Amino acid sequence: MAALEQAEQFTEAAANAGPATRPVQIFYALSQFGRAIAAASTLLGKDEWRLKGHGIGTRNIDASQGLVLVEVIPTAKGSLAGVARALGVDTLEPQVPVQLGDLWRLIPETQRVPLPRAQGLPVMHFTPGGLIHRGDEMWCRLSIYPVPRKVRSLSEVDRSTVDRFLANYPSLAGWSHTPDAPDTMLWRERGNGAEEELEIFLPSALTVPVKPGEDRAEALQRATLYRGPSDAYAFPALGNMRSPVHPLLAWWAALFGLSILARYEPESWAEIVDIDSSSSANAVEHLLDEAITVVPHMALLAILDVAGR
């Protein structure tokens, strides 16, 4: 397919480019991968697979106040919405601006090298444990990480803080603290203490006895699988979305915003990626390095998924 060939060539060009132009090439690689996903999808009708336009714009691309404040604005039509339909997921809310700082925290690879001042809802690693049996109910033990440290701190004063935070994650609906001790919070400190791991419980439809691995498989049905069958995450919904943000759409929006800065604000972009003077440079370079392998991998998984439905 021509779109895949172009995507491969854009990816190769991005791999050989420096940070000055890499976001442009890797975004166009993703855009062409999106066309391949649409062409393979069984969910699109006649000619719907012919995607037109990026499906997203920008606002406030003056990065002098910080990269985190640059905004992208999804539209109701175009490639972004078309890819979402091809995947069978909600698109980002049309005409609702999203800051790059918020998008950054929706990309799992950024957790090791965070963008300074990014304050959005984080994507959280979703680790299923075993089942517990309480009366007539079965619960699946689950660990999620990272939960911002401030959520734990505020919860010590207001117990509903955790409820409000987790309400942003549709895949965690129906969660409980410990089923036999509902006022107990099971926290574990991780890393430098800025973020925490929280153990929660999800209601299970399984009954005793269960086959080996059945409990884990049931829990994973609630998660978003990222780069493999066990690479599970809880993604938040943004705004009035009913379902979690799909990771491919988060990458699409973030890379689009960076590509626009690189193309139309080259002086600002040069300052952003100046490793000697910019506090954002390390995070930006890390994201772009990761994109070289992550974008093709996600695209392949998406093509296999939509073609097999």
Side-chain angles (χ1 to χ4, degrees):
M1 180 185 291
L4 279 177
E5 183 176 345
Q6 289 182 350
E8 181 181 1
Q9 292 185 19
F10 275 125
T11 303
E12 290 176 354
N16 294 319
T21 61
R22 179 174 284 179
V24 179
Q25 290 136 338
I26 196 60
F27 172 73
Y28 275 100
L30 179 54
S31 180
Q32 294 310 101
F33 278 127
R35 284 167 169 77
I37 293 167
S41 177
T42 60
L43 299 178
L44 299 184
K46 183 179 180 181
D47 289 337
E48 282 190 292
W49 61 272
R50 296 182 180 276
L51 303 181
K52 296 180 180 179
H54 297 312
I56 190 169
T58 55
R59 190 175 75 174
N60 187 31
I61 63 170
D62 177 6
S64 62
Q65 300 303 310
L67 183 61
V68 294
L69 300 180
V70 172
E71 294 176 328
V72 298
I73 307 177
T75 58
K77 297 181 180 180
S79 294
L80 180 66
V83 169
R85 289 195 302 273
L87 294 169
V89 300
D90 282 355
T91 190
L92 301 179
E93 278 193 277
Q95 307 307 322
V96 177
V98 186
Q99 292 183 342
L100 282 184
D102 294 338
L103 291 167
W104 216 271
R105 301 207 72 193
L106 299 180
I107 297 174
E109 286 77 11
T110 67
Q111 291 178 355
R112 289 187 290 115
V113 188
L115 180 68
R117 296 173 55 202
Q119 298 292 325
L121 291 165
V123 57
M124 296 188 292
H125 200 266
F126 183 112
T127 307
L131 288 173
I132 66 169
H133 191 194
R134 293 293 182 267
D136 296 330
E137 298 179 330
M138 294 286 288
W139 295 84
C140 177
R141 181 182 288 109
L142 181 75
S143 292
I144 50 176
Y145 173 83
V147 179
R149 170 67 178 168
K150 66 180 180 181
V151 173
R152 178 177 182 177
S153 300
L154 292 173
S155 72
E156 294 171 358
V157 178
D158 179 0
R159 303 290 292 183
S160 65
T161 301
V162 175
D163 301 72
R164 290 194 299 272
F165 173 72
L166 294 184
N168 295 294
Y169 296 81
S171 61
L172 303 181
W175 72 278
S176 174
H177 302 297
T178 53
D180 50 355
D183 291 332
T184 301
M185 294 279 194
L186 299 176
W187 295 99
R188 299 185 186 92
E189 292 188 6
R190 292 277 298 267
N192 60 7
E195 294 165 326
E196 306 268 349
E197 180 178 339
L198 175 63
E199 186 172 278
I200 62 173
F201 295 81
L202 294 178
S204 172
L206 297 175
T207 56
V208 177
V210 298
K211 297 178 181 178
E214 193 174 358
D215 55 339
R216 178 178 172 83
E218 184 199 40
L220 288 176
Q221 290 177 2
R222 301 278 294 269
T224 297
L225 301 183
Y226 186 47
R227 298 182 62 188
S230 61
D231 192 23
Y233 289 87
F235 279 80
L238 296 182
N240 293 318
M241 293 179 67
R242 295 170 297 175
S243 59
V245 175
H246 191 281
L248 191 69
L249 305 187
W251 271 100
W252 188 292
L255 290 175
F256 175 78
L258 297 182
S259 73
I260 291 298
L261 282 171
R263 288 179 65 189
Y264 298 111
E265 297 289 336
E267 291 186 9
S268 293
W269 181 248
E271 293 176 359
I272 289 168
V273 296
D274 186 344
I275 199 68
D276 294 323
S277 61
S278 170
S279 62
S280 300
N282 194 28
V284 171
E285 288 199 24
H286 175 74
L287 177 73
L288 294 175
D289 286 343
E290 292 291 325
I292 302 302
T293 54
V294 174
V295 166
H297 189 182
M298 284 195 304
L300 174 60
L301 293 177
I303 290 170
L304 293 174
D305 180 42
V306 301
R309 291 184 179 178

